[in-house]
Amino acid sequence: MLAAGLGGNITGTRADVIICDDVEVAGNCDTPGKRAELRERLAETEFILTPGGTILYVGTPHCAESLYVPPGTEGAYLAGYRRLVVPLLDAAGGSAWPERFPVPAVEQLRDRVGPLHFTRQMLLRAVSAGAARFDPAQIIRYAEEIDYREALGRPVLSLLGRRMVSGGGFWDPAYGRPGRGDGSVLAACFADAEGNHYLHRLAYLTHDPDSPEDPATQQCRQVARLAGELMLPVLRVETNGIGRFLPSLLRRELARAGAACAVVEQHSHRPKQERILAALDPVLAGRRLHAHSQVFRTPFAAELAEWKPDTPGTRDDALDALSGCLLAEPVRLPGLPPAPRPPGWRGMAAQ
């Protein structure tokens, strides 16, 4: 028996049975070049299989052009294979494995990962990313402001009567010249312990070309002012492109503004389309995204409604900034009170 990674050297070996287990993952099929390389690597299995041998593929689709599209589909990679498909839910909505995935757990899973990834990996359908559509009506709107108090010497930040447990800002910088090029957008979000997210501010930053101050300083000053007003504990700055030199300028302006806010340099490696889908698809499907009424006075709602993953040139500056905030947050599951415990073996109720 030999186990080898997809990039391992198997040339010269021979096999009677080859099991290709989860050879397609999100990181190796998100571009045409990666998909072509994946198929080229898998073609090597045909040369090491002995006559009369068997190749078994086990996996789930991660893109529309998946290895696992039905054999009758045009261009199907596994065209000559017999196919067995066992989706997690049957046509009636029942679980195929109720002991491991009861229906309530399935619904929670769908809320956490979003309908696109759930359909691909749990229902085994090779859905196109273009099928994802964001509806602004799924966002819960509010008009209240944050409330800062100190209780028993501890600071407490609340919103809508709920205590916030984390928060921060994400700045996707650009030159910010009015009406030209990409927008320079700052998103400020908070989160509670129940996994709800609150997009409290969305600022499209610009600069005055006639000002004696350089454009970068002007924008850093605006970001520092908002960070101080919202008491943000951290600001993440995307350092791809022009953002590389901004963190040091931002730290200087934060110090001048007296804002106690950390600056974290964020270099994005994943494609923008993938980041936006991963961040927004789950929270919108689960109705866990709230947004301040100020946010709806910006182009954000139009960007959300018009965004199409497969269409180049679509405006997505605000969506990119918001996705940076959401992806920086840990996944939180709603807490439950501890179950009552019977008397312990020591003859008393366990503490």
Side-chain angles (χ1 to χ4, degrees):
M1 178 181 291
L2 171 66
L6 190 61
N9 183 12
I10 58 175
T11 302
T13 58
R14 293 291 180 268
D16 298 317
V17 177
I18 301 174
I19 301 175
C20 298
D21 183 24
D22 274 332
V23 289
E24 177 182 294
V25 295
N28 66 8
C29 67
D30 55 345
T31 66
K34 290 181 180 179
R35 290 192 289 272
E37 182 181 1
L38 173 61
R39 284 156 174 75
E40 182 178 353
R41 294 296 306 173
L42 292 172
E44 187 73 11
T45 59
E46 299 289 346
F47 300 108
I48 68 173
L49 185 68
T50 58
T54 299
I55 300 180
L56 174 66
Y57 280 82
V58 183
T60 57
H62 287 264
C63 63
E65 297 80 16
S66 172
L67 294 172
Y68 310 116
V69 296
T73 306
E74 182 180 356
Y77 182 77
L78 303 178
Y81 283 67
R82 288 181 294 173
R83 178 179 172 88
L84 173 64
V85 181
V86 184
L88 181 57
L89 297 178
D90 57 26
S95 175
W97 191 1
E99 298 83 4
R100 174 65 178 83
F101 291 99
V103 173
V106 172
E107 294 303 319
Q108 293 175 9
L109 176 63
R110 192 200 306 265
D111 289 343
R112 291 198 301 272
V113 303
L116 180 65
H117 291 294
F118 183 86
T119 301
R120 285 175 174 174
Q121 297 188 50
M122 294 299 167
L123 301 184
L124 307 181
R125 301 173 191 162
V127 183
S128 169
R133 292 293 183 269
F134 296 147
D135 183 4
Q138 294 177 306
I139 301 176
I140 302 172
R141 186 182 304 207
Y142 67 93
E144 288 78 357
E145 294 297 333
I146 55 176
D147 179 26
Y148 175 81
R149 301 184 183 186
E150 294 187 5
L152 301 176
R154 295 183 178 181
V156 176
L157 188 71
S158 300
L159 184 59
L160 300 176
R162 306 171 188 175
R163 182 173 181 176
M164 300 295 104
V165 296
S166 64
F170 189 95
W171 181 16
D172 180 18
Y175 283 111
R177 192 176 182 88
R180 297 186 183 180
D182 293 337
S184 183
V185 181
L186 170 70
C189 296
F190 298 97
D192 63 21
E194 301 301 311
N196 297 300
H197 300 271
Y198 303 83
L199 176 58
H200 199 62
R201 286 293 184 273
L202 198 63
Y204 286 74
L205 308 173
T206 59
H207 71 272
D208 182 2
D210 300 324
S211 172
E213 294 279 2
D214 61 275
T217 299
Q218 291 184 52
Q219 293 192 46
C220 286
R221 195 162 293 166
Q222 297 174 59
V223 173
R225 177 179 57 81
L226 286 170
E229 290 177 357
L230 300 177
M231 293 178 284
L232 298 179
V234 62
L235 275 169
R236 293 176 172 84
V237 182
E238 187 171 26
T239 55
N240 301 52
I242 69 166
R244 185 170 302 175
F245 65 92
L246 288 176
S248 57
L249 291 177
L250 181 57
R251 292 186 182 98
R252 181 189 68 186
E253 295 304 321
L254 286 168
R256 288 178 176 175
C261 178
V263 176
V264 176
E265 301 180 19
Q266 188 83 31
H267 188 81
S268 299
H269 299 280
R270 300 167 65 184
K272 182 188 294 189
Q273 167 188 312
E274 183 183 332
R275 296 197 307 268
I276 293 174
L277 280 172
L280 295 181
D281 201 35
V283 296
L284 289 175
R287 293 187 62 82
R288 290 183 283 115
L289 180 62
H290 302 63
H292 194 275
S293 56
Q294 178 272 344
V295 171
F296 291 91
R297 295 193 289 269
T298 72
F300 169 72
E303 284 189 18
L304 191 67
E306 297 172 2
W307 186 75
K308 298 178 181 179
D310 298 329
T311 304
T314 305
R315 302 293 297 189
D316 55 12
D317 304 310
L319 306 186
D320 194 19
L322 173 57
S323 67
C325 283
L326 297 178
L327 293 176
E329 288 289 331
V331 176
R332 293 185 175 86
L333 301 179
L336 295 174
R341 302 179 64 181
W345 56 268
R346 294 171 295 175
M348 62 186 72
Q351 301 297 322

